[in-house]
Amino acid sequence: MLLKSKRSSWAYIVARVKVMKRRLIPSEEYRKLLNMDFNEIVRYLEETDYKREIDELAYKYSGPRLLDYALTLNLGRTYRKIMDVSFGIAKDIITTYLKRWDIWNIVTIIRGKMAGVSEEEIEEALVPVGEYTLDFYKSLIPKEIDEIVKTFEGTPYYSVLSKVGSEPLSIIEDELYKIYYHQILKERPSEFALKLFVDFIKMEIDIKNIKTILRLKREDVSAEEIMRRIIPGGFEITEEEASKLIAMSWDELVKALEGYWFSKGLEGITDKSISRIEIKFDKAWMEVVARRASNYPLSILPVLQYMVLKKIEVDNLRTLGWGKWQGIPNEEIEEQLVIL
Amino acid sequence: MSVVKVQPTRMELIKLRRRIKMAKRGHSLLKMKRDGLIMEFRELLEEAKKVIGGMAEKYEKAMQKLALAMAVDGVVAVKSIAMARQCEPKFVMHKKNIMGVVVPVIKREEKIVRCVVEREYGVLGTTARIDEAVEAFEQLVDAILEVAEIETTIRRLIEEIEKTKRRVNALEYRVIPSMEEACKFIAFKLEEMDRENIIRLKKLKSKKAKQEA
C-alpha cells in the first residue's frame, strides 16, 4: 500500500508540524510543574491546548481521572489533526504508524469481553486513534468474541485473532504487535521517505526488543520464551543478535549492550529496576530521532518526532498529575519523566 | 451439686470416689491442654504479627506501584491490563489438628505470583511498571491468604483456650469440691449409721442381759 502512494510535498506537513511542535511544553517548564500541586497543574494546563478537553470532560470526571482522560483525548485529536493535514505518502505513513492503536483497541475489547467487564468500562479504555474510528470500535463492544474476530476477516490480524480461545491472550497480543511491525518491514522502500520511516520503526523495534530481553531476563524466563517475544527485523537487535544477548548472563548482557546505538541509556543498569531503565532507553531513542530529524528536515522524521514527543508530553503530564495526586515524592516523579 | 440430694450409701460413696478420681485426672489433663494451647497461641501470635506486618507492607508497596503505573502508563492502560485477569485465584481448604483444635490450611491450587510470560497480558504492548504493579498485587494476594489462615487458626485457638479454661475452672472450683463435700457427707452419714447400729446393738445386748438376769 505504501509503495503505491504518490510523492508528497514534505514542506507543507513539516511546516504544520513545526507550528504544533512549538506549542509543546518546554522541558524547563517541567521543573516549575514539579513544584506545583495538582490543582495548580490543572490550572496551568487550562491555559494551554488541553483546555478544550479538560472543559469537555469536566462534567463527567474529576481529579486525576479528568486529567488522564483529557490528555488521552487530546493526544487522539492531535494525531487525527496530523492525519487531516497530511496527504500522499505522508498520510499513508502516519496511518500505518498509528495502526498500533488498533491493536491496543482490539485487544482491550477482547480482554474486556473475556473478563465479562461492562460495556462502559471497555469503552473507557479505548483510545480514539488508529485506522478504524472510535464508533467502529464502539459497535464491536456489544458483539460476541467470534463475531468481533470475524469482523477482521481479510485483514492481516485475522490469522492471529482466529486463535482467540485456543491460545492465551498474551501470546495473541504479542503476535498482533509482531504482525504490525512485519507489515511495515515487509515493504521494500524504494522511496527515501519510506526508508527513513522503516529505519525509524527498526530502531523502535530495537528498543522494544532490548526492553523485552531485560524485562524477561530479570524474571529468569527461558531463552525459548524470550525469543518467542522478539520482534524480527530490528535495526541492530536482529533475531540473531537477540539470541546471542539472551544466552548471556545479566552482567555480560549489560556489558555487551554498550556497543549499540542506544547505549546512552545504559548507565546505571545495576539495580535491575527495569522501569527506570526503560525511561533511559526512551530518552536515548528520542535523542537519536531528534538528531536524525534535524539531518532530514524535509522528511517524515520531523512528523514522527513530533508524534512521539507529543506522546511523551502527555505521559509526562499524566505522571505529574497522578504523581502529585497520589503524593509520590518529587524525586520519584522526576525519575519517571522523560525530559529531553 | 447439692449435698442433700445424695443418697448416703456405700455404693454411692464408691461411685463418687471414682468420679472424683476421674475428675481430678481430667482436670490435670485439661490444665495441660490449656497450657499447651497457650504456648501454641503465643508462638502463633509472634508469627501472626510478622505475617500481618508483612501484608501491610506489601499493601503499601502494591498501592505505590499501582500509583506509579497509573501515573506513567495512564488509567486507560491499567484498566485494559486489569481486564486481562479472567478468573479469581483458586485455593483449597485443608484441615490440620492442633491439640484437638481443627484449623484450616489454605493450599493454593495454582501459583499466585507468576512469571511475566504466564500472565494474561502481552509483553510487547506493556511496560515494566505494569509488571511491577501486577507482581506487587500478586504478592499481596498471597500474603492475604497467609494472614487469613493464621488469623482463623488464632481465632479458633482463642475459642478453645477459653472453653478449656472454663472447664478447668468449673472442675477446680465447683465440680470437684462439691463431689468431695458429698463424699465427706456420705462418709460422715455412714459413720453415723455405723455408730447408731453399734449403740443399738449394745442397747439390745444390755436389754437381753437384763432379761436373763
Side-chain angles (χ1 to χ4, degrees):
Chain A
M1 181 192 77
L2 290 175
L3 290 171
K4 286 172 194 161
S5 301
K6 288 177 186 174
R7 270 180 180 276
S8 61
S9 164
W10 293 104
Y12 176 72
I13 173 94
V14 169
R16 291 293 298 257
V17 163
K18 262 191 179 170
V19 174
M20 289 159 90
K21 198 174 156 190
R22 245 178 262 143
R23 289 210 297 269
L24 287 174
I25 295 171
S27 51
E28 55 274 13
E29 286 290 295
Y30 287 111
R31 303 253 172 266
K32 274 192 223 165
L33 285 165
L34 259 172
N35 292 319
M36 292 181 189
D37 66 21
F38 177 77
N39 292 324
E40 285 170 335
I41 292 171
V42 175
R43 214 171 302 135
Y44 174 90
L45 292 176
E46 285 262 28
E47 286 161 19
T48 63
D49 288 351
Y50 297 100
K51 181 181 169 39
R52 187 182 154 204
E53 284 78 19
I54 293 173
D55 291 345
E56 235 177 86
L57 295 170
Y59 82 97
K60 207 172 168 190
Y61 305 104
S62 62
R65 268 170 204 272
L66 166 64
L67 182 66
D68 202 329
Y69 285 112
L71 291 170
T72 310
L73 186 61
N74 182 278
L75 181 73
R77 280 181 180 161
T78 308
Y79 284 171
R80 195 139 302 274
K81 190 179 170 188
I82 295 172
M83 275 178 73
D84 290 344
V85 297
S86 60
F87 50 85
I89 195 165
K91 195 173 185 128
D92 290 342
I93 290 175
I94 294 162
T95 311
T96 310
Y97 178 74
L98 292 177
K99 277 181 184 172
R100 63 188 61 205
W101 290 104
D102 288 324
I103 296 169
W104 172 270
N105 288 333
I106 295 168
V107 171
T108 300
I109 292 173
I110 294 175
R111 261 188 209 148
K113 296 297 285 182
M114 281 178 133
V117 176
S118 72
E119 291 184 9
E120 290 77 37
E121 268 188 272
I122 300 175
E123 209 178 302
E124 277 186 352
L126 296 177
V127 181
V129 195
E131 191 184 1
Y132 303 100
T133 60
L134 188 64
D135 289 332
F136 168 76
Y137 287 117
K138 280 183 188 172
S139 73
L140 291 183
I141 298 173
K143 290 182 182 172
E144 291 298 312
I145 295 175
D146 295 346
E147 285 176 83
I148 296 169
V149 171
K150 258 191 190 159
T151 318
F152 291 94
E153 214 171 338
T155 66
Y157 311 125
Y158 184 70
S159 59
V160 175
L161 284 175
S162 58
K163 291 178 199 160
V164 173
S166 58
E167 286 252 23
L169 199 56
S170 59
I171 301 283
I172 290 169
E173 190 187 329
D174 287 342
E175 287 297 319
L176 284 173
Y177 278 108
K178 277 191 189 176
I179 285 178
Y180 164 77
Y181 287 110
H182 175 72
Q183 289 294 317
I184 296 172
L185 297 180
K186 80 173 181 190
E187 302 283 349
R188 295 267 158 261
S190 57
E191 267 197 53
F192 190 63
L194 266 176
K195 194 185 163 344
L196 288 176
F197 173 57
V198 171
D199 282 350
F200 172 86
I201 291 295
K202 281 182 169 181
M203 288 172 119
E204 193 185 86
I205 292 174
D206 274 358
I207 296 288
K208 284 250 176 210
N209 281 345
I210 196 60
K211 280 181 184 175
T212 306
I213 294 172
L214 291 173
R215 235 169 113 182
L216 300 185
K217 281 288 273 184
R218 180 180 160 261
E219 302 252 347
D220 293 324
V221 175
S222 70
E224 202 184 310
E225 284 287 344
I226 303 177
M227 273 313 288
R228 230 177 143 185
R229 285 157 181 88
I230 293 294
I231 308 166
F235 196 70
E236 286 182 359
I237 313 266
T238 55
E239 274 183 301
E240 233 174 76
E241 281 291 312
S243 68
K244 274 187 215 164
L245 293 171
I246 292 164
M248 294 176 188
S249 67
W250 180 269
D251 296 331
E252 284 172 340
L253 173 64
V254 172
K255 238 182 191 175
L257 290 180
E258 278 168 16
Y260 292 99
W261 64 266
F262 47 78
S263 60
K264 212 186 162 195
L266 295 176
E267 298 112 37
I269 305 188
T270 45
D271 59 349
K272 285 195 178 185
S273 167
I274 306 295
S275 58
R276 285 190 190 131
I277 299 166
E278 280 188 346
I279 287 166
K280 286 183 178 178
F281 280 136
D282 289 340
K283 278 184 189 170
W285 183 49
M286 265 335 291
E287 277 167 21
V288 172
V289 170
R291 218 168 30 240
R292 283 177 70 89
S294 62
N295 288 345
Y296 303 102
L298 287 179
S299 70
I300 191 67
L301 284 181
V303 183
L304 293 172
Q305 186 204 7
Y306 170 72
M307 287 171 86
V308 180
L309 283 175
K310 180 72 188 174
K311 172 88 173 68
I312 287 174
E313 179 183 283
V314 163
D315 288 346
N316 282 344
L317 291 172
R318 188 194 300 116
T319 307
L320 274 164
W322 271 103
K324 288 284 174 184
W325 183 267
Q326 306 264 17
I328 299 172
N330 272 3
E331 299 76 47
E332 209 166 323
I333 298 175
E334 205 176 347
E335 271 181 5
Q336 301 295 332
L337 297 180
V338 182
I339 303 173
L340 300 161
Chain B
M1 191 190 278
S2 111
V3 177
V4 189
K5 281 180 186 171
V6 182
Q7 290 295 322
T9 61
R10 203 158 289 280
M11 197 59 213
E12 196 69 27
L13 183 68
I14 293 165
K15 267 189 199 167
L16 258 176
R17 279 186 181 148
R18 259 190 222 145
R19 281 175 66 191
I20 289 170
K21 207 175 158 189
M22 206 164 73
K24 280 188 175 165
R25 210 166 56 206
H27 174 251
S28 75
L29 276 173
L30 280 174
K31 254 171 108 175
M32 272 155 65
K33 183 184 175 183
R34 184 196 62 189
D35 295 344
L37 284 172
I38 288 172
M39 267 166 67
E40 197 77 37
F41 170 75
R42 277 190 186 151
E43 271 170 34
L44 267 174
L45 201 65
E46 286 307 309
E47 206 186 317
K49 271 185 202 165
K50 257 189 239 164
V51 173
I52 293 170
M55 184 190 74
E57 258 174 45
K58 278 174 186 162
Y59 174 76
E60 286 284 317
K61 191 184 157 197
M63 292 312 284
Q64 273 175 11
K65 294 281 178 194
L66 179 68
L68 206 63
M70 293 249 261
V72 187
D73 295 303
V75 71
V76 175
V78 174
K79 221 174 199 179
S80 175
I81 304 299
M83 287 180 200
R85 182 81 206 177
Q86 283 153 29
C87 52
E88 287 155 13
K90 285 180 186 153
F91 57 88
V92 218
M93 299 271 274
H94 288 285
K95 286 173 188 169
K96 197 172 85 176
N97 202 319
I98 304 176
M99 306 184 83
V101 186
V102 180
V103 293
V105 177
I106 299 173
K107 286 244 187 257
R108 285 79 166 155
E109 269 193 353
E110 52 187 37
K111 256 195 312 175
I112 289 174
V113 180
R114 295 172 302 169
C115 175
V116 183
V117 290
E118 290 168 341
R119 293 187 188 130
E120 289 92 342
Y121 59 83
V123 175
L124 301 178
T126 53
T127 63
R129 279 176 299 272
I130 298 276
D131 289 347
E132 286 167 10
V134 172
E135 195 185 333
F137 270 92
E138 282 175 345
Q139 282 171 352
L140 178 64
V141 172
D142 215 25
I144 289 172
L145 285 179
E146 213 177 326
V147 168
E149 185 183 312
I150 210 157
E151 220 178 81
T152 317
T153 307
I154 284 183
R155 202 167 291 168
R156 296 229 171 123
L157 277 181
I158 290 173
E159 278 169 16
E160 192 63 26
I161 289 170
E162 279 299 310
K163 222 195 280 177
T164 317
K165 253 188 182 173
R166 272 203 303 275
R167 281 180 183 163
V168 168
N169 287 344
L171 279 172
E172 196 173 332
Y173 298 109
R174 193 155 174 82
V175 181
I176 296 174
S178 64
M179 280 198 300
E180 278 174 344
E181 213 171 303
C183 204
K184 259 189 213 165
F185 169 75
I186 295 171
F188 172 75
K189 270 278 179 194
L190 286 174
E191 278 171 18
E192 194 79 357
M193 277 156 76
D194 277 352
R195 274 194 292 274
E196 273 174 17
N197 278 340
I198 291 166
I199 288 167
R200 203 178 294 127
L201 281 172
K202 273 186 178 174
K203 278 208 169 176
L204 279 171
K205 205 177 171 184
S206 63
K207 223 176 178 181
K208 209 176 174 185
K210 264 183 196 173
Q211 275 175 358
E212 281 172 0

Coordinates of all heavy atoms in Angstrom, one line a residue, chain B residues 160-211:
Chain B
E160 N -10.9 -22.2 71.8 CA -10.6 -23.4 72.5 C -10.0 -23.2 73.9 O -10.3 -23.8 74.9 CB -9.7 -24.3 71.6 CG -9.6 -25.7 72.1 CD -10.9 -26.5 72.1 OE1 -11.8 -26.1 71.3 OE2 -11.0 -27.5 72.8
I161 N -9.1 -22.1 73.9 CA -8.4 -21.8 75.2 C -9.5 -21.4 76.2 O -9.5 -21.8 77.4 CB -7.3 -20.7 75.0 CG1 -6.1 -21.3 74.3 CG2 -6.9 -20.1 76.4 CD1 -5.1 -20.3 73.9
E162 N -10.4 -20.5 75.7 CA -11.5 -20.0 76.6 C -12.3 -21.2 77.1 O -12.6 -21.3 78.3 CB -12.4 -19.1 75.8 CG -11.8 -17.6 75.7 CD -11.7 -17.0 77.1 OE1 -12.6 -17.0 77.9 OE2 -10.6 -16.5 77.4
K163 N -12.7 -22.1 76.2 CA -13.5 -23.2 76.5 C -12.8 -24.1 77.6 O -13.4 -24.5 78.6 CB -13.8 -24.0 75.3 CG -15.3 -24.5 75.2 CD -15.4 -25.6 74.2 CE -15.5 -25.1 72.8 NZ -15.6 -26.2 71.8
T164 N -11.5 -24.4 77.3 CA -10.7 -25.2 78.2 C -10.6 -24.6 79.6 O -10.7 -25.2 80.6 CB -9.4 -25.5 77.6 OG1 -9.5 -25.8 76.3 CG2 -8.7 -26.7 78.3
K165 N -10.4 -23.3 79.6 CA -10.2 -22.5 80.9 C -11.5 -22.7 81.7 O -11.4 -22.9 82.9 CB -10.0 -21.0 80.5 CG -8.6 -20.6 80.8 CD -8.6 -19.1 80.6 CE -7.2 -18.5 80.8 NZ -7.2 -17.1 80.4
R166 N -12.6 -22.5 81.0 CA -13.9 -22.6 81.7 C -14.1 -24.0 82.3 O -14.5 -24.1 83.5 CB -15.1 -22.3 80.8 CG -15.4 -20.8 80.7 CD -16.8 -20.6 80.2 NE -17.1 -21.2 78.9 CZ -16.8 -20.7 77.7 NH1 -16.3 -19.4 77.7 NH2 -17.1 -21.3 76.6
R167 N -13.7 -25.0 81.6 CA -13.8 -26.4 82.0 C -12.9 -26.6 83.2 O -13.3 -27.2 84.2 CB -13.4 -27.4 80.9 CG -14.6 -27.5 79.9 CD -14.2 -28.5 78.9 NE -15.2 -28.6 77.9 CZ -15.0 -29.1 76.7 NH1 -13.8 -29.5 76.4 NH2 -16.0 -29.3 75.9
V168 N -11.7 -26.1 83.1 CA -10.7 -26.3 84.2 C -11.2 -25.6 85.5 O -11.2 -26.2 86.6 CB -9.3 -25.7 83.8 CG1 -8.4 -25.6 85.0 CG2 -8.7 -26.6 82.7
N169 N -11.7 -24.4 85.3 CA -12.2 -23.7 86.5 C -13.4 -24.3 87.1 O -13.5 -24.4 88.3 CB -12.5 -22.2 86.1 CG -11.3 -21.4 85.9 OD1 -10.2 -21.8 86.3 ND2 -11.4 -20.3 85.2
A170 N -14.3 -24.8 86.2 CA -15.5 -25.5 86.7 C -15.1 -26.7 87.5 O -15.7 -27.0 88.6 CB -16.4 -25.9 85.5
L171 N -14.2 -27.5 87.0 CA -13.7 -28.7 87.7 C -13.1 -28.3 89.0 O -13.3 -28.9 90.0 CB -12.8 -29.5 86.8 CG -13.4 -30.4 85.7 CD1 -12.3 -31.0 84.8 CD2 -14.2 -31.5 86.3
E172 N -12.2 -27.3 88.9 CA -11.4 -27.0 90.1 C -12.2 -26.3 91.2 O -12.0 -26.6 92.4 CB -10.2 -26.0 89.6 CG -9.1 -25.9 90.6 CD -8.0 -25.1 90.0 OE1 -7.8 -25.1 88.8 OE2 -7.3 -24.4 90.8
Y173 N -13.1 -25.4 90.8 CA -13.8 -24.7 91.9 C -15.2 -25.1 92.1 O -15.8 -24.7 93.1 CB -13.8 -23.2 91.5 CG -12.4 -22.6 91.4 CD1 -11.8 -22.3 90.2 CD2 -11.6 -22.5 92.6 CE1 -10.5 -21.8 90.1 CE2 -10.3 -22.0 92.5 CZ -9.8 -21.6 91.3 OH -8.5 -21.2 91.2
R174 N -15.7 -26.0 91.3 CA -17.1 -26.3 91.5 C -17.3 -27.8 91.6 O -17.8 -28.4 92.6 CB -18.0 -25.7 90.4 CG -19.5 -25.8 90.8 CD -20.3 -24.7 90.1 NE -21.7 -24.9 90.4 CZ -22.3 -24.6 91.5 NH1 -21.6 -24.0 92.5 NH2 -23.6 -24.8 91.7
V175 N -17.0 -28.5 90.5 CA -17.4 -29.9 90.4 C -16.6 -30.8 91.5 O -17.2 -31.5 92.3 CB -17.1 -30.5 89.0 CG1 -17.4 -32.0 88.9 CG2 -17.9 -29.7 87.9
I176 N -15.3 -30.7 91.5 CA -14.5 -31.5 92.4 C -14.8 -31.1 93.9 O -15.1 -32.0 94.7 CB -13.0 -31.4 92.1 CG1 -12.7 -32.0 90.7 CG2 -12.2 -32.2 93.1 CD1 -11.3 -31.9 90.2
P177 N -14.8 -29.8 94.3 CA -15.2 -29.5 95.7 C -16.5 -30.0 96.1 O -16.7 -30.6 97.2 CB -15.1 -28.0 95.8 CG -14.3 -27.6 94.6 CD -14.5 -28.6 93.6
S178 N -17.5 -29.9 95.2 CA -18.9 -30.3 95.6 C -18.9 -31.8 95.7 O -19.6 -32.4 96.6 CB -19.9 -29.8 94.6 OG -19.7 -30.4 93.4
M179 N -18.2 -32.5 94.8 CA -18.2 -34.0 94.9 C -17.5 -34.4 96.2 O -17.9 -35.4 96.8 CB -17.5 -34.6 93.7 CG -18.4 -34.7 92.5 SD -17.9 -35.8 91.2 CE -16.4 -35.2 90.7
E180 N -16.4 -33.7 96.5 CA -15.6 -34.1 97.7 C -16.5 -33.8 99.0 O -16.5 -34.6 99.9 CB -14.4 -33.2 97.8 CG -13.3 -33.9 97.0 CD -12.0 -33.0 96.9 OE1 -12.1 -31.8 97.2 OE2 -11.0 -33.5 96.4
E181 N -17.3 -32.7 98.9 CA -18.2 -32.4 100.0 C -19.2 -33.5 100.2 O -19.5 -34.0 101.3 CB -18.9 -31.1 99.7 CG -19.1 -30.3 101.0 CD -19.6 -28.9 100.6 OE1 -18.9 -28.2 99.9 OE2 -20.7 -28.6 101.1
A182 N -19.8 -34.0 99.0 CA -20.8 -35.0 99.0 C -20.2 -36.3 99.6 O -20.8 -37.0 100.3 CB -21.3 -35.3 97.6
C183 N -18.9 -36.5 99.2 CA -18.2 -37.7 99.6 C -18.1 -37.7 101.1 O -18.3 -38.7 101.8 CB -16.9 -37.7 98.9 SG -16.1 -39.3 98.8
K184 N -17.6 -36.5 101.6 CA -17.5 -36.3 103.1 C -18.8 -36.5 103.8 O -18.9 -37.2 104.8 CB -17.0 -34.9 103.3 CG -15.5 -34.7 103.6 CD -15.3 -33.3 104.1 CE -13.9 -32.9 103.6 NZ -13.8 -31.4 103.7
F185 N -19.8 -36.0 103.2 CA -21.2 -36.1 103.8 C -21.6 -37.6 103.9 O -22.1 -38.0 105.0 CB -22.2 -35.3 102.9 CG -23.6 -35.5 103.3 CD1 -24.2 -35.0 104.4 CD2 -24.4 -36.3 102.4 CE1 -25.5 -35.2 104.7 CE2 -25.8 -36.5 102.8 CZ -26.3 -35.9 103.9
I186 N -21.4 -38.3 102.8 CA -21.8 -39.7 102.8 C -21.0 -40.5 103.9 O -21.5 -41.3 104.6 CB -21.6 -40.4 101.4 CG1 -22.6 -39.7 100.4 CG2 -21.8 -41.9 101.4 CD1 -22.4 -40.1 99.0
A187 N -19.6 -40.2 103.9 CA -18.7 -40.9 104.8 C -19.2 -40.6 106.2 O -19.3 -41.6 107.1 CB -17.3 -40.4 104.6
F188 N -19.5 -39.4 106.5 CA -20.0 -39.0 107.8 C -21.3 -39.7 108.2 O -21.5 -40.2 109.3 CB -20.2 -37.4 107.9 CG -20.8 -36.9 109.1 CD1 -20.1 -36.9 110.3 CD2 -22.2 -36.5 109.1 CE1 -20.7 -36.4 111.4 CE2 -22.7 -36.1 110.3 CZ -22.0 -36.0 111.4
K189 N -22.2 -39.7 107.2 CA -23.5 -40.3 107.4 C -23.3 -41.8 107.7 O -24.0 -42.4 108.5 CB -24.4 -40.1 106.1 CG -25.2 -38.9 106.1 CD -26.5 -39.1 107.0 CE -27.3 -37.9 107.0 NZ -28.3 -38.0 108.1
L190 N -22.4 -42.4 106.9 CA -22.2 -43.9 107.0 C -21.6 -44.2 108.4 O -22.0 -45.1 109.1 CB -21.3 -44.4 105.9 CG -21.9 -44.6 104.5 CD1 -20.9 -45.0 103.5 CD2 -23.1 -45.5 104.6
E191 N -20.7 -43.3 108.8 CA -20.1 -43.5 110.2 C -21.2 -43.3 111.2 O -21.2 -44.1 112.2 CB -19.0 -42.4 110.4 CG -17.7 -42.8 109.8 CD -16.7 -41.7 109.8 OE1 -16.9 -40.7 110.6 OE2 -15.7 -41.7 109.1
E192 N -22.0 -42.3 111.0 CA -23.1 -42.1 111.9 C -24.0 -43.3 112.0 O -24.4 -43.7 113.1 CB -23.9 -40.9 111.4 CG -24.9 -40.2 112.3 CD -24.2 -39.3 113.3 OE1 -23.0 -39.1 113.3 OE2 -25.0 -38.7 114.1
M193 N -24.3 -43.9 110.9 CA -25.2 -45.0 110.8 C -24.5 -46.2 111.5 O -25.2 -47.0 112.3 CB -25.5 -45.4 109.4 CG -26.7 -44.6 108.8 SD -26.7 -44.5 107.0 CE -27.2 -46.2 106.7
D194 N -23.2 -46.3 111.3 CA -22.4 -47.4 112.0 C -22.5 -47.2 113.5 O -22.8 -48.2 114.3 CB -20.9 -47.3 111.6 CG -20.7 -48.0 110.3 OD1 -21.7 -48.7 109.8 OD2 -19.6 -47.9 109.7
R195 N -22.3 -46.0 113.9 CA -22.4 -45.7 115.4 C -23.7 -46.0 115.9 O -23.9 -46.6 117.0 CB -22.0 -44.2 115.6 CG -20.5 -44.0 115.7 CD -20.2 -42.6 116.3 NE -20.6 -41.6 115.5 CZ -19.8 -41.1 114.5 NH1 -18.6 -41.6 114.3 NH2 -20.2 -40.1 113.8
E196 N -24.8 -45.6 115.2 CA -26.1 -45.9 115.6 C -26.4 -47.4 115.8 O -26.9 -47.8 116.8 CB -27.1 -45.3 114.6 CG -27.5 -43.9 114.8 CD -28.4 -43.4 113.7 OE1 -29.0 -44.1 112.9 OE2 -28.5 -42.1 113.6
N197 N -25.9 -48.1 114.8 CA -26.0 -49.6 114.8 C -25.3 -50.2 116.0 O -25.9 -51.1 116.7 CB -25.4 -50.2 113.6 CG -26.4 -50.1 112.4 OD1 -27.7 -50.0 112.7 ND2 -26.0 -50.2 111.2
I198 N -24.1 -49.7 116.3 CA -23.3 -50.2 117.5 C -24.1 -50.0 118.7 O -24.3 -50.9 119.6 CB -21.9 -49.6 117.5 CG1 -21.1 -50.2 116.3 CG2 -21.2 -49.9 118.8 CD1 -19.8 -49.4 116.0
I199 N -24.6 -48.7 118.9 CA -25.3 -48.3 120.1 C -26.6 -49.2 120.2 O -26.9 -49.7 121.3 CB -25.6 -46.8 120.1 CG1 -24.3 -46.1 120.3 CG2 -26.7 -46.5 121.1 CD1 -24.3 -44.6 120.1
R200 N -27.3 -49.3 119.0 CA -28.5 -50.1 119.0 C -28.1 -51.6 119.5 O -28.8 -52.1 120.3 CB -29.1 -50.2 117.6 CG -30.6 -50.5 117.7 CD -31.2 -50.5 116.3 NE -31.2 -49.2 115.7 CZ -30.7 -48.9 114.5 NH1 -30.1 -49.8 113.8 NH2 -30.8 -47.6 114.1
L201 N -27.1 -52.1 118.9 CA -26.7 -53.5 119.3 C -26.3 -53.6 120.8 O -26.7 -54.5 121.5 CB -25.5 -53.9 118.5 CG -25.8 -54.4 117.0 CD1 -24.6 -54.6 116.2 CD2 -26.6 -55.7 117.1
K202 N -25.6 -52.5 121.2 CA -25.2 -52.5 122.6 C -26.4 -52.5 123.5 O -26.5 -53.2 124.6 CB -24.3 -51.3 122.9 CG -22.8 -51.6 122.7 CD -22.0 -50.4 123.1 CE -20.6 -50.7 122.9 NZ -19.7 -49.5 123.1
K203 N -27.4 -51.6 123.1 CA -28.6 -51.5 123.9 C -29.4 -52.8 123.9 O -29.9 -53.3 125.0 CB -29.5 -50.4 123.3 CG -29.0 -49.0 123.8 CD -30.2 -48.0 123.8 CE -29.7 -46.8 124.6 NZ -30.7 -45.8 124.5
L204 N -29.5 -53.5 122.8 CA -30.2 -54.7 122.7 C -29.5 -55.8 123.6 O -30.1 -56.6 124.3 CB -30.2 -55.3 121.2 CG -31.2 -54.6 120.3 CD1 -31.0 -55.0 118.9 CD2 -32.6 -55.1 120.8
K205 N -28.1 -55.7 123.5 CA -27.3 -56.7 124.3 C -27.6 -56.5 125.8 O -27.8 -57.5 126.6 CB -25.9 -56.5 124.0 CG -25.0 -57.7 124.2 CD -23.6 -57.4 123.8 CE -22.7 -58.5 124.2 NZ -21.3 -58.2 123.9
S206 N -27.6 -55.2 126.2 CA -27.8 -54.9 127.6 C -29.2 -55.3 128.1 O -29.5 -55.8 129.2 CB -27.5 -53.5 128.0 OG -28.4 -52.6 127.3
K207 N -30.2 -55.1 127.1 CA -31.6 -55.4 127.4 C -31.7 -56.9 127.7 O -32.4 -57.4 128.6 CB -32.5 -55.0 126.2 CG -33.7 -54.3 126.6 CD -34.5 -53.8 125.3 CE -35.8 -53.2 125.7 NZ -36.5 -52.8 124.5
K208 N -31.1 -57.6 126.7 CA -31.1 -59.1 126.8 C -30.5 -59.6 128.1 O -31.0 -60.5 128.8 CB -30.4 -59.7 125.6 CG -30.9 -61.0 125.2 CD -30.2 -61.5 123.9 CE -30.6 -62.9 123.5 NZ -29.8 -63.3 122.4
A209 N -29.4 -59.0 128.4 CA -28.6 -59.3 129.7 C -29.5 -59.1 130.9 O -29.6 -59.9 131.8 CB -27.4 -58.5 129.8
K210 N -30.2 -58.0 130.9 CA -31.1 -57.6 132.0 C -32.2 -58.7 132.1 O -32.6 -59.1 133.2 CB -31.7 -56.2 131.7 CG -31.0 -55.1 132.4 CD -31.7 -53.8 132.2 CE -30.8 -52.7 132.5 NZ -31.4 -51.4 132.1
Q211 N -32.8 -59.1 130.9 CA -33.9 -60.0 130.9 C -33.4 -61.4 131.5 O -34.1 -62.1 132.2 CB -34.4 -60.2 129.5 CG -35.4 -59.2 129.1 CD -35.9 -59.3 127.6 OE1 -35.4 -60.1 126.9 NE2 -36.8 -58.4 127.3

